[in-house]
Amino acid sequence: MLQTFRGTHDHLPDVAVRYDYIIKVAQHWAGLYGYNLVSTPIFEYADVFSRTLGDTSDIVTKEMFVFEDRHGDKLVLRPEGTAGLMRCLLSNGLMHQLPQKYFYAGPMFRYERPQKGRTRQFHQIGVEFMGEASPLSDGEAITLAWDVLGALGLKNKVALHINSLGDTESRQAYRGLLVEYFSDFKSELSPDSQERLLKNPLRILDSKDPKDQALVAKAPSLEGSLNNLSKDFFARVLESLDLLKIPYSINPRLVRGLDYYCHTAFEFVTDTLGAQSAVLAGGRYDRLALMMGHKEPIPSIGWAAGIERLELMLDQPVLGARPLSLIPIGEAAERKVLGLAHDLRLSNISVVMAPSGNLKSRMKYANKVNAQAVLILGEDELQKGTAVLKELDNGNQQEIPLSQIKDALKRLS
RNA sequence: GCGGGUGUAGCUCAGUUGGUUAGAGCACCAGUUUGUGGCACUGGGGGUCGUGGGUUCGAUUCCCAUCACUCGCCCCA
């Protein structure tokens, strides 16, 4: 009863401030690229996800929190952001005003076994660039990701892996070749990969099983199946990265799990989070709109990053604003201090009151809330119309007239 | 969903080869300082030994189940 549900957590202030910091940094940079903040409901009709993510994807088959409302409508807590945003675009008729660039942040839900960096309610920041087919938009989206990671001080902890899945024609051709190849060795594949052969053959490529990898080494390459259009598209994405000197490595085994991806697939990976290597990942999803019933494709590119994972990687502590601690002594001072505190707050100064306890414990409290200074107002000071201002970092203290407090505080910061 | 590890105070952990009142450090509270924090000293409060059941004269300790966390697999951010 007093325990949170498996895989969900409270975010106490020291953690919450770090989440908030990550979101603010990402939103700031997304703004510089013209992405606008949007938010969509955290639950949707189940079809929004089950029809678009792929009937055989793990997310749909075993990881969605599905429930029915009182009318028997099937609903699902969103397991990812992209499908909901595409639904949002179509619902609001915004396909007539393309392109659209969106930034979002919020909780996602997957019914998984929790691990470090993996929770059942987790949080993502993400961007979607919808209605733009140029490979320049892929390059730009990846550059934004690189800038966000850089602003968070994580560049030296991540590596960019990138690959191309090709357009639909290339991808389907390759899938055929791959199934043909692996079918000959079916009994030699790991049980997991035998399953993949049926559901998602591309996934066999990044199997961790050594025997699978031996077979993969001789398998036909994805690159070999790319048609000229796909090859050219990929080359132009890479060119963007080269021009901006963003380091990457082409990973021919990088594939995406969800059905709607094509062309560019990329991941920023880390080795600092145990089994969870992907920190930020995304790709192009030109066909998603079609899968949602729209009559033509809406070429789009996007990515999402796990806030939990980013937070675990942050080195430096995130500090909040340092308040002024107000300490009134005696009832008359308490009355006086109410107005003073309000006045200071109206001047954009953070003020924390410590109205009870002995002076010593109130000083300690000021320390605990990381106050920059305390303002002590007792009987003597009240009569003189002054207060004692003490800086906590160096212990300096002086008695100043109440009328000069704002100026004195401004001099401190 | 599969396999391994862990679960003792708010936190980090000792401990009990089954036996009276379960310990430490940090944190918290109070005092040394009747209006001055961070340091030091002294004292104090705080524990269903994850939960439920079983074995036993007796279980925090052994057994089973369950929950949570954790490591790996699957998958993914």
Side-chain angles (χ1 to χ4, degrees):
Chain A
M1 189 64 180
L2 293 180
Q3 181 172 296
T4 60
F5 182 67
R6 179 177 216 192
T8 67
H9 299 279
D10 299 316
H11 295 162
L12 296 178
D14 58 333
V15 171
V17 74
R18 292 162 70 80
Y19 278 53
D20 185 52
Y21 169 72
I22 290 167
I23 292 169
K24 281 184 173 141
V25 166
Q27 187 177 350
H28 171 72
W29 280 88
L32 293 176
Y33 281 74
Y35 287 86
N36 297 307
L37 178 66
V38 293
S39 79
T40 61
I42 60 170
F43 62 94
E44 299 257 5
Y45 286 111
D47 279 354
V48 170
F49 299 102
S50 57
R51 280 172 51 193
T52 54
L53 301 180
D55 295 336
T56 58
S57 74
D58 273 30
I59 288 184
V60 170
T61 56
K62 66 176 195 185
E63 292 178 2
M64 291 203 303
F65 279 93
V66 185
F67 61 100
E68 285 188 7
D69 76 352
R70 297 180 186 206
H71 300 297
D73 285 330
K74 273 198 165 174
L75 303 170
V76 56
L77 295 179
R78 64 183 185 190
E80 57 107 35
T82 303
L85 274 189
M86 182 59 83
R87 194 274 311 140
C88 165
L89 184 97
L90 298 174
S91 304
N92 291 284
L94 294 166
M95 59 285 196
H96 302 302
Q97 297 174 56
L98 297 174
Q100 294 284 339
K101 301 175 85 169
Y102 298 129
F103 169 85
Y104 65 90
M108 305 291 167
F109 304 84
R110 292 185 198 171
Y111 199 94
E112 299 187 279
R113 185 141 173 180
Q115 273 178 239
K116 182 181 187 179
R118 169 197 282 177
T119 52
R120 287 181 162 184
Q121 176 178 341
F122 62 107
H123 300 78
Q124 287 187 328
I125 48 176
V127 299
E128 312 291 353
F129 192 167
M130 294 173 160
E132 178 52 68
S134 165
L136 284 180
S137 61
D138 301 52
E140 190 190 82
I142 295 171
T143 305
L144 168 58
W146 179 243
D147 285 340
V148 169
L149 292 169
L152 294 172
L154 300 177
K155 274 185 185 172
N156 57 352
K157 292 187 177 179
V158 297
L160 170 57
H161 290 191
I162 188 167
N163 194 23
S164 173
L165 305 171
D167 59 13
T168 309
E169 178 190 305
S170 301
R171 188 176 172 176
Q172 282 176 353
Y174 181 62
R175 185 186 160 114
L177 282 178
L178 210 57
V179 171
E180 194 178 325
Y181 168 80
F182 281 120
S183 294
D184 292 342
F185 303 103
K186 186 171 180 184
S187 57
E188 296 175 44
L189 287 169
S190 67
D192 281 333
S193 284
Q194 292 187 24
E195 187 76 7
R196 292 181 182 115
L197 188 55
L198 300 172
K199 289 183 174 174
N200 193 344
L202 267 62
R203 287 239 82 103
I204 300 176
L205 295 179
D206 64 356
S207 170
K208 289 174 188 167
D209 186 286
K211 279 175 67 183
D212 288 351
Q213 286 183 359
L215 291 170
V216 166
K218 296 176 197 156
S221 75
L222 177 48
E223 194 186 0
S225 289
L226 295 186
N227 57 24
N228 286 336
L229 192 148
S230 300
K231 280 180 189 166
D232 184 57
F233 191 96
F234 192 36
R236 296 214 48 201
V237 174
L238 297 182
E239 187 186 19
S240 294
L241 301 179
D242 290 332
L243 285 169
L244 292 168
K245 297 188 170 59
I246 295 172
Y248 63 87
S249 56
I250 297 173
N251 179 351
R253 295 179 185 177
L254 173 60
V255 294
R256 304 267 74 206
L258 307 180
D259 270 6
Y260 52 64
Y261 284 107
C262 62
H263 287 295
T264 316
F266 66 94
E267 288 182 358
F268 284 87
V269 297
T270 182
D271 55 9
T272 63
L273 293 178
Q276 275 61 247
S277 60
V279 172
L280 182 156
R284 178 159 280 281
Y285 51 93
D286 295 351
R287 288 171 45 77
L288 175 57
L290 283 178
M291 296 168 73
M292 300 191 95
H294 193 53
K295 56 185 178 298
E296 55 195 28
I298 298 179
S300 306
I301 174 97
W303 54 255
I307 299 179
E308 279 78 0
R309 294 181 184 181
L310 293 170
E311 191 272 330
L312 286 168
M313 294 172 73
L314 281 187
D315 294 321
Q316 68 278 52
V318 175
L319 303 174
R322 300 186 69 186
L324 169 75
S325 184
L326 265 189
I327 302 180
I329 300 168
E331 283 185 24
E334 285 171 10
R335 285 191 199 98
K336 179 76 184 173
V337 123
L338 278 179
L340 179 59
H342 192 230
D343 190 31
L344 291 170
R345 287 165 181 150
L346 289 176
S347 302
N348 205 32
I349 294 168
S350 172
V351 177
V352 174
M353 275 228 269
S356 61
N358 60 31
L359 185 55
K360 179 168 179 163
S361 67
R362 291 153 88 174
M363 290 295 292
K364 281 181 124 171
Y365 181 69
N367 242 36
K368 201 166 93 180
V369 300
N370 192 29
Q372 183 179 26
V374 295
L375 196 66
I376 302 169
L377 192 61
E379 307 286 343
D380 298 347
E381 289 84 3
L382 199 58
Q383 291 211 336
K384 286 188 274 180
T386 64
V388 172
L389 180 66
K390 176 166 185 173
E391 296 173 61
L392 289 176
D393 289 345
N394 55 24
N396 293 345
Q397 94 177 34
Q398 57 182 319
E399 192 169 343
I400 51 178
L402 285 176
S403 58
Q404 291 173 26
I405 282 174
K406 272 190 221 172
D407 291 334
L409 288 174
K410 273 173 193 154
R411 260 179 268 126
L412 290 186
S413 52

